[in-house]
Amino acid sequence: MNNTDKMATKDYIQAAVFSVLSMVGMIVAAILNMSGYTALLYPAGAAIFIGILFFILEVKVPKKGAVFIFSIVPALYFFASGLIEGIVGAVGAMLFSLFAELILSNHHDSLKHITIAAVVYTMYYSTIGFAEQFLFTEYYCNAAAEHGIDPAVVDGMRTVFGIKPLWAAAIAATALTTLLGTLIGRLITNKHLKRTGLVK
């Protein structure tokens, strides 16, 4: 993996493209939110896509700042919602990207550090991202109902998020699916990207 200090214009573009792709992955995973009972699985579902993209991004752009740019489109999406959880999600995405950047500092060519950084990055989905749901379940569910969410979905969320130990399970599942995503990303990199010359 080629590692240089400063990002060039093409690096910014590539990181931005991956940021958009990560948002697409999150939207695909959002179908899990269509049922209150499966909403708990959303972070883990999104983390598979994010893990794949995170690994490939680090192989293609192993430079300081790439991960932070990777977080920008999801952060803007969350912020644009105007909801409290959206603002919290936006802050979480950028904050955890900085944590990942610290882990990767001078270790962009380390598979271990890339993997750990990917797991740390996706933790905002199930930690900060789920804080309101698990800590203030009634408030969250009442707000969801006021925004027109189907009552059956709200009832499902109230049941699931009312079981507090499930928060730890969601965090663990997110970590595991991120690991799975990085493994898939590594396979894609080894079998396809290097073969086509996109990654040296």
Side-chain angles (χ1 to χ4, degrees), residues 57-109:
L57 172 65
E58 268 302 301
V59 171
K60 292 177 68 63
V61 190
K63 300 177 182 180
K64 182 178 180 180
V67 173
F68 181 75
I69 295 172
F70 183 62
S71 73
I72 289 179
V73 172
L76 290 175
Y77 173 81
F78 289 140
F79 187 78
S81 72
L83 301 174
I84 293 177
E85 60 265 30
I87 296 173
V88 170
V91 173
M94 293 185 290
L95 179 63
F96 278 65
S97 74
L98 293 177
F99 292 156
E101 289 275 9
L102 287 174
I103 293 170
L104 288 167
S105 180
N106 299 320
H107 298 288
H108 291 276
D109 57 351

Side-chain angles (χ1 to χ4, degrees), residues 8 22 26 41 43 48 54 82 95 113 116 142 144 148 155 159 172 193 196:
S22 74
M26 291 167 63
L41 302 175
I48 295 177
F54 190 103
L95 179 63
H113 283 81
I116 294 173
N142 290 337
D155 287 341
T159 298
L193 298 183
T196 60

Side-chain angles (χ1 to χ4, degrees), residues 12 18 28 66 68 82 84 107 109 121 176 187:
Y12 285 104
F18 274 82
V28 171
F68 181 75
I84 293 177
H107 298 288
D109 57 351
Y121 175 71
L176 288 174
L187 289 174

Side-chain angles (χ1 to χ4, degrees), residues 24 79 122 168 179:
V24 172
F79 187 78
T122 58
L179 288 173

